[in-house]
Amino acid sequence: LPAGFVRIAGAMTVGTAVIFILGVTHLAVFTGGSWATAFRLGFLPFLPGAALKIVAAASMAAGWQRLRRPVR
């Protein structure tokens, strides 16, 4: 994998993890449910879509970076 893709995907994964942590915490606190239920309902159903989005967006961003490099 190109270094640009790995760097971009890593940054997107960290950002998505922060959003998921805040969302699951919000769900557990404000619904009064358990952390396990909040994790099961607020994280697991969205994980495949988030992973697909990260791969697609990182691929496009890395490809765009390659296109913008000047030819030597």
Side-chain angles (χ1 to χ4, degrees):
L1 294 172
F5 173 84
V6 173
R7 190 181 79 247
I8 293 166
M12 295 174 107
T13 301
V14 169
T16 301
V18 168
I19 291 168
F20 274 134
I21 289 167
L22 294 173
V24 169
T25 301
H26 181 270
L27 184 63
V29 169
F30 288 103
T31 63
S34 70
W35 288 99
T37 301
F39 182 78
R40 188 171 38 86
L41 296 176
F43 175 72
L44 292 179
F46 301 100
L47 187 58
L52 182 64
K53 178 174 61 174
I54 288 170
V55 170
S59 297
M60 289 187 287
W64 180 253
Q65 282 183 344
R66 289 184 69 200
L67 288 174
R68 293 189 57 205
R69 286 191 190 131
V71 178
R72 295 180 188 202

